[in-house]
Amino acid sequence: MRGFTYRDGLLHVDDVALDRLVRDHGTPLYVYSAREMRARYRRLAAAFAGTDTLFCYALKANPTLGVVATLAKEGAGADVVSAGELERALAAGIAPERIVFAGVGKSHGEIDRALAVGVLQLNVESVEELHMVAERAAARGLVAPVALRLNPDVAATTHDKIATGRRHDKFGIAGERLGEVLDVLRGLSSVRLVGLHCHIGSQIAVVEDFERAYARMATFYRTARAAGFPLERLNLGGGLGIRYVDERELDIEAFARMALAVTRDLGARLVFEPGRYLVAAAGALLSRVILVKTGSEQRRFVVVDAGMNTLIRPAMYGAVHPIQPLAVRAEAALSTVDVVGPICESSDIFARDLRLPLPAAGDVVAFMNAGAYGAAMASDYNSRGRAAEVLADGDRVAMLKPRLEPVQLFADEAVPAWLRPAVRPSDFA
Ligand code: LLP
């Protein structure tokens, strides 16, 4: 059973009708399906059954505590890239020894915190960072567990802005420098090399792209072992692609067979960092049509109350999120429309020349597959608050993150003392 289904013509998340959630919580509203998240986690875990593989959910895809906790309950570890994500993973119940800490720019404070809580490993992205980690660990009398993030120089089949494994990308250490870095490691007593790491990009559906990278990583792994480093883990990153509209979804079972085959002789524990694959299809963004505007040349703009501040993927990557009605309408005639948000930017557009039964003001539509990099990348731009977020689990519903009132958006700001007294909202009450 999928997370989002039509029953009696009404779109449901798990066993809850979306129109009820709109009535109770308003729009824009992110709704998540615990059932879909669990099904995805279990399918991935089943593909690696019988192996000691660790799945570290990449919090960047959706760091909302209730989402992280749902996956934690299934046994997921966490891939975090900031102190904020680290605290969230811990707060959601993920044990430090199941957390990997990545990122090209970890601050001293972040390294210190990761060492203090005892994360599984720090994924180190440069020789400069290796020295930094070594110093911070030495100052505390600790030995930091590190994995080297290597750049396998593979151009994955994906959007340019989310490919990370090419030579010119800012991520990782060039593979051919491995020998040199191992020499540096020999001189550092406060770091211990526990593994290697790579991540070639996001939204990749071609098994062969991963295969090229993983085969190179297996070679690097053998090289490091032969050089006298008793590695334990091979962290192969995330990037598992999903179907947004009509693309090919990554064949998870074929992916798993390939990954296990390429690494079979290494005796390494595999670690993966899936984000999107686990949560994208488990989320939808519900948004109300404010009005339908007729522009020049009779262009019809459906203006909705979610904008690029709510879901930035269409504006940023040209991403397409299918738009579905909450209630199926029998034999409605199709119109050609642009679906746009209320933000004052021309790029605040979700779909152009879309064929839709013409919505009316007040109708609610669902942007599908919005569970990953949706709420996570939202902002308060134009001082429009973020969408509320709710989770359905079977017939249960929980508010994960309430919406803030306009004045709450600046409640922690201060006007300089020399400009006070400022106008307060109560002055207008
Ligand atoms: N591991 C590392 C080191 C990463 O950089 C990422 C994503 C992941 C794991 C998780 O990748 P996933 O399994 O979710 O593909 N905002 C973009 C995606 C950016 C991905 C950044 N790194 C989007 O909306 O498509």
Side-chain angles (χ1 to χ4, degrees):
M1 175 70 76
R2 306 312 308 229
F4 291 88
T5 50
Y6 282 99
R7 298 187 199 172
D8 301 326
L10 290 180
L11 189 55
H12 283 61
V13 56
D14 281 23
D15 299 325
V16 182
L18 293 184
D19 61 354
R20 190 192 115 197
L21 294 179
V22 168
R23 262 196 315 278
D24 291 350
H25 305 294
T27 56
L29 181 71
Y30 275 103
V31 295
Y32 304 121
S33 158
R35 189 177 278 159
E36 180 76 30
M37 276 183 242
R38 275 199 293 267
R40 295 211 154 227
Y41 186 87
R42 288 177 190 177
R43 180 164 170 201
L44 188 55
F48 287 87
T51 69
D52 180 28
T53 303
L54 176 62
F55 301 99
C56 290
Y57 168 57
L59 262 76
K60 61 177 81 66
N62 190 322
T64 302
L65 284 189
V67 169
V68 184
T70 302
L71 291 167
K73 192 109 192 274
E74 289 298 299
D79 161 37
V80 304
V81 293
S82 68
E85 286 191 355
L86 175 58
E87 298 307 334
R88 280 178 176 271
L90 295 170
I94 298 183
E97 61 272 14
R98 299 175 76 76
I99 299 178
V100 297
F101 197 123
V104 281
K106 305 175 195 73
S107 69
H108 285 181
E110 288 176 324
I111 294 169
D112 291 351
R113 181 70 180 141
L115 293 175
V117 303
V119 297
L120 180 68
Q121 68 193 39
L122 290 122
N123 294 337
V124 166
E125 301 233 7
S126 61
V127 181
E128 294 79 1
E129 186 181 37
L130 190 56
H131 285 292
M132 241 170 89
V133 172
E135 274 165 35
R136 305 308 295 179
R140 265 150 210 81
L142 296 171
V143 177
V146 300
L148 295 177
R149 176 169 180 175
L150 297 178
N151 182 329
D153 193 20
V154 168
T157 317
T158 188
H159 193 285
D160 174 62
K161 285 188 182 165
I162 54 176
T164 54
R166 303 159 300 184
R167 190 169 291 276
H168 63 270
D169 291 317
K170 71 176 177 180
F171 301 98
I173 302 170
E176 62 267 19
R177 291 187 63 194
L178 177 59
E180 176 195 327
V181 182
L182 293 177
D183 285 341
V184 173
L185 271 160
R186 280 195 190 87
L188 299 173
S189 56
S190 58
V191 291
R192 184 167 65 91
L193 185 65
V194 295
L196 300 180
H197 173 231
C198 76
H199 172 76
I200 58 170
S202 196
Q203 182 57 5
I204 302 165
V206 182
V207 172
E208 292 73 24
D209 288 352
F210 289 109
E211 187 170 14
R212 272 188 295 146
Y214 293 1
R216 282 182 201 167
M217 293 304 294
T219 303
F220 295 141
Y221 200 88
R222 286 185 204 102
T223 305
R225 276 247 170 112
F229 290 86
L231 307 184
E232 298 156 27
R233 293 186 281 282
L234 184 53
N235 179 342
L236 295 171
L240 289 60
I242 68 136
R243 180 197 305 272
Y244 276 95
V245 187
D246 51 10
E247 315 92 311
R248 190 153 62 108
E249 176 146 330
L250 179 69
D251 178 341
I252 288 298
E253 287 74 26
F255 168 79
R257 279 194 300 276
M258 176 280 293
L260 291 172
V262 169
T263 59
R264 181 154 296 134
D265 62 321
L266 302 178
R269 182 188 200 194
L270 298 187
V271 179
F272 291 95
E273 302 169 339
R276 186 191 317 265
Y277 177 78
L278 296 175
V279 294
L285 168 63
L286 309 186
S287 182
R288 193 178 288 280
V289 175
I290 298 174
L291 51 81
V292 180
K293 163 180 169 167
T294 305
S296 50
E297 292 158 358
Q298 294 304 305
R299 191 171 268 281
R300 284 228 179 83
F301 294 101
V302 175
V303 185
V304 298
D305 66 0
M308 64 191 289
N309 66 313
T310 325
L311 177 64
I312 203 174
R313 303 191 69 258
M316 193 154 170
Y317 313 111
V320 178
H321 289 265
I323 300 175
Q324 294 185 6
L326 292 208
V328 180
R329 278 199 273 157
E331 67 221 42
L334 297 182
S335 305
T336 302
V337 301
D338 289 358
V339 180
V340 304
I343 298 290
C344 303
E345 298 255 356
S346 295
S347 54
D348 183 29
I349 177 161
F350 291 109
R352 203 178 265 289
D353 295 329
L354 190 67
R355 300 280 294 162
L356 271 188
L358 188 66
D363 285 358
V364 176
V365 294
F367 293 90
M368 306 306 292
N369 298 322
Y373 306 108
M377 296 177 79
S379 77
D380 299 337
Y381 186 39
N382 277 200
S383 287
R384 289 185 175 275
R386 293 161 209 225
E389 297 173 59
V390 297
L391 176 77
D393 191 347
D395 60 4
R396 291 180 296 185
V397 176
M399 169 59 66
L400 302 185
K401 188 165 171 169
R403 141 187 3 271
L404 296 181
E405 294 304 320
V407 293
Q408 291 177 296
L409 294 179
F410 56 86
D412 58 358
E413 295 180 23
V415 172
W418 60 88
L419 296 178
R420 287 184 207 137
V423 176
R424 288 155 306 171
S426 57
D427 294 343
F428 300 102

